[in-house]
Amino acid sequence: MSVPEDEERLLPLAQRWPRASKFLLSGCAATVAELATFPLDLTKTRLQMQGEAALARLGDSARESAPYRGMVRTALGIVQEEGFLKLWQGVTPAIYRHVVYSGGRMVTYEHLREAVFGKSEDKHYPLWKSVIGGMMAGVVGQFLANPTDLVKVQMQMEGKRKLEGKPLRFRGVHHAFAKILAEGGIRGLWAGWVPNIQRAALVNMGDLTTYDTVKHYLVLNTSLEENIMTHGLSSNLVGSHTATQ
């Protein structure tokens, strides 16, 4: 049943634009998670690049000459030599990626659940529908986010080039987008999208299925209603917005 225009204006924004609200909520949660975990991702990447560069230069003696050993020493070395804020160097493309990916997959999943598959008579969403919906949402979210994912990886590779003494290719995130677009066209921004969406489909098959199960349990067994707060709580409980994906 449609809501009169005057009454609709009085509704909270989350009820007037539920899809947009869920996209923003998922994107904000992904941003917070990415900011919290990015130093771990950076130190892991730095260790990997350091090992590859050292092996290329020194062969078997690379281990003895490595400046960083272990996650903690790597993080401390970055802080001492480059500054504390350098632990978040390159976080911008990672945030872009997770906002698009997390928001896109969540909005897609909600649309599939409400408008395509539908719930059963007792308002329950069957497991098989959650599995299929989660996989399809993961595919859509990752496909939308593939350009930002590509730029994130390319920007991380700049660290390896720096360790090898090679000139940097990109001046920043927007320059990376422009250069990839100029060299490969629109299709170049979606390089490697097939294995990426395959992985996203498998991850979200479990991720969003768990999210929906937890939310359904909260609505049935607590005083919570199905609204944006329950959505956020369910996402936090199952970690469906985290940056580990």
Side-chain angles (χ1 to χ4, degrees):
M1 184 175 63
S2 61
V3 179
E5 186 176 347
D6 292 338
E7 293 184 15
E8 184 178 356
R9 291 177 181 176
L10 299 176
L11 292 174
L13 292 177
Q15 294 183 25
R16 291 167 61 185
W17 299 299
R19 298 283 188 268
S21 299
K22 288 176 181 177
F23 183 94
L24 291 174
L25 177 64
S26 298
C28 289
T31 300
V32 172
E34 184 63 31
L35 288 172
T37 60
F38 190 80
L40 297 175
D41 192 31
L42 178 69
T43 52
K44 177 202 72 175
T45 303
R46 189 70 66 89
L47 278 169
Q48 291 172 335
M49 292 187 302
Q50 168 193 273
E52 293 174 4
L55 282 172
R57 292 196 312 267
L58 305 172
D60 293 337
S61 60
R63 289 186 178 181
E64 298 299 327
S65 63
Y68 300 144
R69 294 182 187 176
M71 293 286 289
V72 175
R73 289 187 181 182
T74 300
L76 290 176
I78 294 171
V79 171
Q80 292 171 355
E81 297 171 13
E82 305 174 38
F84 179 73
L85 293 180
K86 290 297 182 179
L87 288 173
W88 284 270
Q89 186 177 28
V91 73
T92 303
I95 289 177
Y96 286 171
R97 186 262 177 185
H98 284 289
V99 167
V100 175
Y101 171 71
S102 297
R105 69 180 181 141
M106 189 58 68
V107 170
T108 301
Y109 183 76
E110 295 284 344
H111 176 74
L112 289 173
R113 188 185 63 183
E114 301 294 337
V116 178
F117 294 126
K119 298 181 180 180
S120 59
E121 294 182 358
D122 61 350
K123 301 298 182 180
H124 179 66
Y125 196 52
L127 180 62
W128 69 270
K129 291 184 178 181
S130 295
V131 170
I132 297 176
M135 294 181 70
M136 293 177 65
V139 167
V140 172
Q142 181 56 52
F143 184 80
L144 294 174
N146 199 80
T148 57
D149 213 8
L150 178 65
V151 170
K152 174 188 173 184
V153 173
Q154 293 294 323
M155 293 294 290
Q156 287 178 332
M157 291 301 293
E158 291 295 272
K160 181 179 179 181
R161 293 178 64 87
K162 187 175 181 179
L163 286 171
E164 293 175 346
K166 297 178 180 179
L168 300 182
R169 297 171 299 171
F170 308 122
R171 295 190 299 269
V173 177
H174 299 102
H175 181 241
F177 272 111
K179 189 169 184 179
I180 293 172
L181 186 61
E183 294 177 354
I186 294 293
R187 294 180 62 181
L189 292 172
W190 271 268
W193 68 274
V194 174
N196 284 341
I197 66 170
Q198 289 173 342
R199 177 181 180 274
L202 294 175
V203 168
N204 285 277
M205 179 179 66
D207 195 14
L208 291 178
T209 299
T210 306
Y211 152 80
D212 211 45
T213 301
V214 170
K215 188 171 75 170
H216 183 70
Y217 177 85
L218 291 174
V219 171
L220 288 183
N221 296 279
T222 69
S223 58
L224 295 174
E225 298 179 357
E226 188 166 345
N227 52 32
I228 195 168
M229 294 302 297
T230 307
H231 160 77
L233 178 60
S234 303
S235 296
N236 279 286
L237 288 174
V238 303
S240 64
H241 58 263
T242 58
T244 58
Q245 298 168 30

